[in-house]
Amino acid sequence: AALLLALQVRLIMKAYSFIRENIPRVLSSVKDKSGTVHIPRISQYLYFLFAPTLIYRDNYPRNPTIRWGYVATKFAQVLGSLFYAYYIFVRLCIPQFRNSSQETFNLRGLVLCIFNSILPGVLILFLAFFAFLHCWLNAFAEMLRFADRMFYK
């Protein structure tokens, strides 16, 4: 459910950017009463939907070739991050909650369980950010030959 919500928010943000960049063009051509209105092609909009950017432009800087070894490395890093997050979850989180589910409820046990889960939770959060923001977006940027890779600025 959270993944679906994140995808919907991303699409809403991209649609807003697309509208915000193209409405002034349409309004200026109506105001000037010129017969030509520059409307983006469907291929430009589809490229924008998959490109790792939230700012619509008709054209983006493009690399001449795709480095498939780089793409494979990034996807391998995503898989490695998923396996490492699974390992952390199974070894550090599940035993905490398995033990607490067999005991009667008390506040002390709940607080200890939460504090014992903070470090694994932070590690999993860092892995999720690394896997998505660094690996996944760079892999798609490479496959789309998207040259502007300033994700962190």
Side-chain angles (χ1 to χ4, degrees):
L3 182 62
L4 186 61
L5 181 64
L7 289 174
Q8 288 175 344
V9 167
R10 178 183 146 270
L11 287 176
I12 288 170
M13 289 167 50
K14 283 192 175 246
Y16 176 77
S17 176
F18 180 77
I19 290 169
R20 177 140 182 163
E21 290 293 322
N22 287 301
I23 289 294
R25 287 189 221 172
V26 173
L27 292 178
S28 67
S29 67
V30 168
K31 189 169 111 177
D32 297 340
K33 296 187 179 167
S34 62
T36 60
V37 178
H38 176 71
I39 298 173
R41 295 186 316 269
I42 296 293
S43 62
Q44 291 172 320
Y45 182 68
L46 287 175
Y47 183 84
F48 169 63
L49 284 180
F50 291 100
T53 183
L54 291 174
I55 299 171
Y56 177 78
R57 298 285 180 255
D58 287 336
N59 296 310
Y60 295 98
R62 306 282 296 268
N63 289 331
T65 60
I66 299 172
R67 298 174 296 171
W68 290 108
Y70 181 79
V71 172
T73 302
K74 292 300 169 191
F75 281 133
Q77 288 175 348
V78 169
L79 283 174
S81 297
L82 289 173
F83 282 123
Y84 189 48
Y86 173 76
Y87 177 78
I88 289 171
F89 191 72
V90 167
R91 296 291 287 177
L92 300 175
C93 293
I94 290 178
Q96 291 296 321
F97 290 102
R98 183 176 294 139
N99 293 337
S100 67
S101 67
Q102 296 171 352
E103 299 172 1
T104 59
F105 177 77
N106 61 13
L107 187 59
R108 181 182 178 277
L110 178 66
V111 170
L112 284 175
C113 190
I114 289 172
F115 279 118
N116 287 333
S117 299
I118 288 174
L119 182 61
V122 169
L123 287 173
I124 290 172
L125 187 66
F126 284 150
L127 282 170
F129 278 112
F130 172 74
F132 179 70
L133 292 177
H134 183 70
C135 301
W136 189 264
L137 290 180
N138 270 312
F140 271 90
E142 185 66 33
M143 287 189 296
L144 292 171
R145 298 183 315 150
F146 189 78
D148 187 14
R149 308 252 179 105
M150 305 293 273
F151 297 131
Y152 305 117
K153 288 192 176 187

